RNA sequence: CGGGGCGUAGCGCAGCCUGGUAGCGCAUCUGGUUUGGGACCAGAGGGUCGCAAGUUCGAAUCUUGCCGCCCCGACCA
């Protein structure tokens, strides 16, 4: 992509309303624009990141055996009357009426609808187990939206729903999502920690919040250092094999958010050198709730001996749009974003320091071509701006690598390659830059 | 939902108290000089002062109502 054709409205000054780093940087880097309280337009740069995150989530869901579908944003109120939540949900639900005065709502979640869909199409234990997910915009009319996309009213969420014949089978589905989530966040460069959350009507231990560690996270978290160091299952993990052992590894250690934290228990369970107090952001939540909706909505399946039982369900959410903010919170500095390769809007920024100079232009064009041919996503700054402005802008948008080509380096047949994460630069011979950088990109993407 | 604050050019702000021709910096456009880390000179364009009503000869400024947004707290993917 040539910067001259891209739309990148960067801001030199910080908008007054942005309090935290990710919000500030997303506005400054031209990723989003606020259109109302907690409502954002995704500009081209932000949209690219959002789609990358969405795709990683999708791939890991598919690997775990979930199937993708798409439910509407607008739902009829009657569906929610069946579960009793139409009245219970309160003002967080955005209620609307259509031209015929039918009561509708902009979905804050989809348990009712998926239950209705499932009961219409599955009747027997032979139809189980099933996991279905979609990635769709939700709306919750939060009293106080804040922190940009981290706590918006409209947000993009992946929600998966599992259907099983009994609780034991339900636990297996739960474990699949548990592992899938560890892998999903790891691929984005994030260290996520499953923390025990409030349990449902079933009780037990089948609800976890996935917390990403970030210095500027919204809540304080406490955990055993050993949980942070546990290896995440590889991509060829057998989702139909034994997952319980792995899940147990993660759940035996102490890990709690501040509202569930018990200092005495923490000190008893974790020895001195292993106690971690940090800050975190909730990016996922998995939850087994049994027959809460299948009871209320009569979603039953026949067992092998011919009885009808309500189906056992769980739901599993990932805050896709929130992750954009969470990743920035985890990876930024005073100059801007520092995207992990897997979610970077472009892999590489190519800076032409003297647009109009025949030699520099030719070198840039050639490199732009060969990198693109090698499958590298390049943002080529071919604008007539000054060097300093280009450097600052490229640092702000935070592409993992920058290649700088100007008359000075060109005299020696060299280009400069800068790594955004730590600022390290090296001079590379011009005819080797393409291969060199393509390899750096490929190596960074090797984990998937 | 309780408490506080702010709406003046694309962004950041001053002006309001004490009513009298709407300003500054950045950004944008033109010309020139510059050009390896957010340049300089000269000039130009851009504002129903959130909306409405009221007071007044006269309202960005005073009064009332409404709308929008932000912050702290309680709540939450």
């Amino acid at each position: 992509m040539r910067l001259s054709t891209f739309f990148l409205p960067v801001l030199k000054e910080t908008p007054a309303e942005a309090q935290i780093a990710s919000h500030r940087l997303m506005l400054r880097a031209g990723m989003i624009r606020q259109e109302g309280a907690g409502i954002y337009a995704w500009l081209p740069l932000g949209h690219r990141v959002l789609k990358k995150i969405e795709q990683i989530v999708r791939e890991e869901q598919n690997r775990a055996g979930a199937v993708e579908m798409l439910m509407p944003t607008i739902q009829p109120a009657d569906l929610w009357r069946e579960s009793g939540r139409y009245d219970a949900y309160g003002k967080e639900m955005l209620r609307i009426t259509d031209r015929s005065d039918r009561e509708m709502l902009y979905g804050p979640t989809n348990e009712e609808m998926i239950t209705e869909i499932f009961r219409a199409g599955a009747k027997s234990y032979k139809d189980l187990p099933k996991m279905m997910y979609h990635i769709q915009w939700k709306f919750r009319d939060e009293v106080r939206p804040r922190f940009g996309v981290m706590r918006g009213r409209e947000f993009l969420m992946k929600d998966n729903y599992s259907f099983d014949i009994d609780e034991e089978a339900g636990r297996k589905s739960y474990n699949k999502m548990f592992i899938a989530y560890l892998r999903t966040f790891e691929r984005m460069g994030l260290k996520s920690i499953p923390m025990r959350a409030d349990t449902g009507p079933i009780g037990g231990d089948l609800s976890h919040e996935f917390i990403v560690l970030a210095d500027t996270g919204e809540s304080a978290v406490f955990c055993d250092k050993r949980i942070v160091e546990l290896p995440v299952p590889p991509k060829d993990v057998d989702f139909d094999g034994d997952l319980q052992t792995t899940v147990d590894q993660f759940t035996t250690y102490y890990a709690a958010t501040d509202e569930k934290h018990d200092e005495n228990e923490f000190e008893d369970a974790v020895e001195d050198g292993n106690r971690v107090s940090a800050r975190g952001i909730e990016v996922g939540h998995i939850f087994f709730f049994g027959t809460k909706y299948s009871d209320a909505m009569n979603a039953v399946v026949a067992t092998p001996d011919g009885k009808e039982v309500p189906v056992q369900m769980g739901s599993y959410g990932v805050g896709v749009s929130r992750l954009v903010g969470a990743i920035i919170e985890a990876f930024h500095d005073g100059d801007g974003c520092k995207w992990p390769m897997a979610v970077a809007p472009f892999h590489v920024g190519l800076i032409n320091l003297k647009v109009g100079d025949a030699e520099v232009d030719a070198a840039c064009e050639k490199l732009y071509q060969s990198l693109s041919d090698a499958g590298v996503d390049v943002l080529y700054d071919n604008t007539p701006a000054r060097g300093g402005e280009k450097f600052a802008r490229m640092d702000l948008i935070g592409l993992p690598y920058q290649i700088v080509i100007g008359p000075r380096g060109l005299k020696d047949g060299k280009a400069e390659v800068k790594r955004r994460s730590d600022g390290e630069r090296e001079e590379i011979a011009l005819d080797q830059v393409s291969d060199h950088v393509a390899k750096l990109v490929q190596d960074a993407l090797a984990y998937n």
Side-chain angles (χ1 to χ4, degrees):
Chain A
M1 176 64 65
R2 290 166 203 276
L3 186 53
S4 58
T5 55
F6 204 59
F7 183 69
L8 188 68
V10 298
L11 305 173
K12 200 189 237 177
E13 288 174 279
T14 301
E17 71 268 20
Q19 298 299 307
I20 63 167
S22 61
H23 190 193
R24 215 161 47 226
L25 289 173
M26 287 181 78
L27 290 167
R28 284 198 55 210
M31 296 177 66
I32 53 170
R33 178 165 178 81
Q34 180 168 353
E35 298 296 346
I39 299 175
Y40 294 87
W42 291 80
L43 307 187
L45 192 76
H47 184 250
R48 283 185 153 251
V49 177
L50 188 68
K51 288 293 160 182
K52 291 247 178 132
I53 292 170
E54 182 182 321
Q55 184 56 26
I56 290 174
V57 170
R58 175 177 290 118
E59 287 171 13
E60 293 304 319
Q61 289 294 297
N62 293 346
R63 266 183 190 148
V67 285
E68 187 168 13
M69 62 180 302
L70 186 58
M71 289 180 269
T73 53
I74 306 288
Q75 308 182 27
D78 281 348
L79 198 50
W80 285 64
R81 292 207 169 90
E82 276 197 60
S83 70
R85 282 211 291 180
Y86 191 67
D87 296 322
Y89 216 92
K91 297 184 82 172
E92 277 204 346
M93 181 188 282
L94 178 63
R95 296 153 205 263
I96 48 187
T97 53
D98 68 10
R99 64 195 298 163
S100 315
D101 269 341
R102 279 183 287 253
E103 293 175 273
M104 316 288 282
L105 57 99
Y106 196 116
T109 178
N110 287 71
E111 278 86 3
E112 282 80 358
M113 186 169 284
I114 194 75
T115 304
E116 187 276 329
I117 289 168
F118 177 84
R119 80 179 170 197
K123 303 292 182 190
S124 158
Y125 73 95
K126 294 176 188 169
D127 298 320
L128 299 176
K130 284 282 178 291
M131 289 193 291
M132 284 183 277
Y133 74 97
H134 75 338
I135 299 171
Q136 178 64 292
W137 292 93
K138 309 281 194 291
F139 193 92
R140 292 183 194 170
D141 200 353
E142 296 276 351
V143 193
R144 193 183 159 208
R146 58 182 129 174
F147 304 145
V149 301
M150 299 262 285
R151 185 78 179 286
R153 290 196 294 172
E154 189 184 49
F155 56 97
L156 187 61
M157 181 178 176
K158 184 281 301 179
D159 42 324
N160 181 33
Y161 302 91
S162 66
F163 302 88
D164 288 283
I165 192 66
D166 56 28
E167 203 183 319
E168 187 191 339
R171 175 178 280 271
K172 286 185 182 166
S173 296
Y174 185 90
N175 286 348
K176 287 180 186 179
M177 283 299 115
F178 192 105
I179 302 297
Y181 276 31
L182 289 174
R183 288 188 39 73
T184 298
F185 302 128
E186 171 104 344
R187 279 185 61 183
M188 297 169 192
L190 298 171
K191 176 55 72 180
S192 74
I193 301 172
M195 299 196 170
R196 190 172 294 193
D198 286 331
T199 51
I202 292 283
D205 58 354
L206 291 180
S207 178
H208 285 88
E209 290 180 6
F210 282 73
I211 302 286
V212 153
L213 296 185
D215 292 341
T216 48
E218 15 174 13
S219 53
V221 297
F222 306 86
C223 68
D224 192 316
K225 193 168 106 191
R226 287 169 292 179
I227 196 174
V228 182
E229 292 161 354
L230 283 174
V232 167
K235 72 172 167 186
D236 57 358
V237 60
D238 178 11
F239 277 98
D240 292 317
D242 170 42
L243 303 177
Q244 192 63 51
T245 309
T246 310
V247 171
D248 287 345
Q249 279 183 341
F250 280 88
T251 54
T252 49
Y253 295 116
Y254 185 94
T257 57
D258 51 356
E259 57 260 14
K260 285 155 200 109
H261 178 59
D262 181 327
E263 187 64 29
N264 293 331
E265 191 189 333
F266 188 40
E267 283 170 19
D268 286 348
V270 187
E271 59 191 80
D272 223 353
N274 285 338
R275 283 184 215 133
V276 174
S277 297
R279 300 199 67 81
I281 301 162
E282 181 182 354
V283 290
H285 197 156
I286 61 177
F287 193 41
F288 179 73
F289 48 70
T291 60
K292 180 177 175 186
Y293 297 95
S294 50
D295 271 337
M297 298 179 65
N298 197 36
V300 295
V301 286
T303 61
D305 51 1
K307 282 190 215 136
E308 285 197 328
V309 296
V311 70
Q312 299 280 334
M313 295 175 58
S315 75
Y316 314 89
V318 169
V320 175
S321 48
R322 167 180 285 190
L323 271 165
V324 180
I327 292 169
I328 296 175
E329 290 298 329
F331 302 107
H332 72 274
D333 63 17
D335 295 326
C337 306
K338 304 201 288 195
W339 295 109
M341 190 65 77
V343 297
F346 297 92
H347 300 136
V348 174
L350 172 59
I351 295 179
N352 181 332
L353 275 179
K354 194 164 186 180
V355 172
D357 178 295
E359 269 184 63
V360 180
D361 285 350
C364 286
E365 286 293 337
K366 193 177 168 199
L367 187 55
Y368 178 57
Q369 273 310 321
S370 65
L371 280 168
S372 300
D373 290 347
V376 176
D377 254 339
V378 183
L379 181 63
Y380 171 27
D381 186 347
N382 61 340
T383 66
R386 306 166 58 82
E389 187 181 344
K390 292 188 177 208
F391 293 131
R393 180 166 56 197
M394 204 57 90
D395 283 346
L396 175 63
I397 68 173
L399 307 182
Y401 288 98
Q402 299 170 11
I403 305 173
V404 182
I405 295 187
R408 205 175 75 189
L410 220 50
K411 267 191 302 203
D412 308 323
K414 296 261 174 83
E416 182 183 288
V417 175
K418 173 178 156 181
R419 182 164 58 205
R420 180 65 180 89
S421 59
D422 59 6
E424 192 163 307
R425 309 166 195 210
E426 48 182 339
E427 303 259 306
I428 307 283
L430 201 59
D431 57 359
Q432 289 166 30
V433 174
S434 181
D435 287 347
H436 178 76
V437 172
K439 183 162 190 319
L440 290 173
V441 172
Q442 281 152 16
D443 288 349
L445 291 173
Y447 181 93
N448 57 44

